[in-house]
Amino acid sequence: DPQTQDTIARHFGDIQLEQDQMRDVQHYSIFKTLSIPMHVGFVKSTSNKLTYGITGGISFQYHIQQSGRLLAADGTIINFSDDSYFRRVGLSTHIQTVLIFKGGDQWEFSCNPFFAFSLSDRIKSGAVITQRPFTYGLSLGIAKAL
């Protein structure tokens, strides 16, 4: 017994033990994408040097480069490269809030959280899985008027 250091039982000879193993593997895949967004929305300025609003729309994507590895349903690792496993063209929808703080006459600080959801399946037809990625992030910026 590991806690009391007492002997629970004694066995002599060969003993079969059950052993579980776990392996943690990380693969880094490369996706280079050209995205053309179309936004609509509203932005309003206040007298306190604050600009706020919300925009949304759709985005057309063309995947320029794609390579890496992914895990198949049976546990095997699949290597993929350009145009072998994923579609080149995609469409997604997105929404973004706009917050801009004006600091002085020439400086602006922006904080824009965004959410995007893919409308098209990224993996080519005939695959066992579907992939429609959901993306979120935060765009921070500082701008100075010249």
Side-chain angles (χ1 to χ4, degrees):
D1 185 1
Q3 292 182 358
T4 64
Q5 300 300 318
D6 199 9
T7 303
I8 297 173
R10 292 179 189 232
H11 296 280
F12 297 100
D14 293 337
I15 300 172
Q16 282 188 339
L17 298 174
E18 291 184 23
Q19 182 178 3
D20 292 328
Q21 291 182 335
M22 180 183 275
R23 187 175 84 157
D24 186 22
V25 178
Q26 289 184 352
H27 294 285
Y28 296 96
S29 300
I30 297 171
F31 294 97
K32 292 184 180 177
T33 305
L34 172 66
S35 181
I36 302 171
M38 292 176 270
H39 286 255
V40 294
F42 82 94
V43 177
K44 181 171 172 76
S45 295
T46 66
S47 59
N48 297 344
K49 299 185 177 185
L50 172 69
T51 302
Y52 64 93
I54 189 165
T55 64
I58 60 172
S59 182
F60 171 78
Q61 291 105 19
Y62 178 74
H63 305 286
I64 299 166
Q65 179 187 2
Q66 47 194 358
S67 63
R69 293 178 166 182
L70 56 94
L71 191 62
D74 63 358
T76 59
I77 296 173
I78 299 172
N79 292 317
F80 65 90
S81 60
D82 288 343
D83 209 25
S84 65
Y85 204 72
F86 290 94
R87 299 179 193 276
R88 285 249 186 226
V89 177
L91 189 66
S92 68
T93 182
H94 49 85
I95 190 165
Q96 177 175 358
T97 59
V98 177
L99 291 170
I100 301 172
F101 304 97
K102 295 179 183 174
D105 293 336
Q106 297 179 342
W107 290 94
E108 287 185 353
F109 305 95
S110 63
C111 174
N112 305 318
F114 64 89
F115 303 94
F117 180 75
S118 180
L119 297 173
S120 54
D121 189 7
R122 285 286 322 272
I123 296 177
K124 289 185 175 182
S125 62
V128 187
I129 59 173
T130 59
Q131 185 183 36
R132 290 194 170 119
F134 172 72
T135 307
Y136 59 92
L138 178 65
S139 176
L140 300 172
I142 299 173
K144 180 181 180 186
L146 299 176

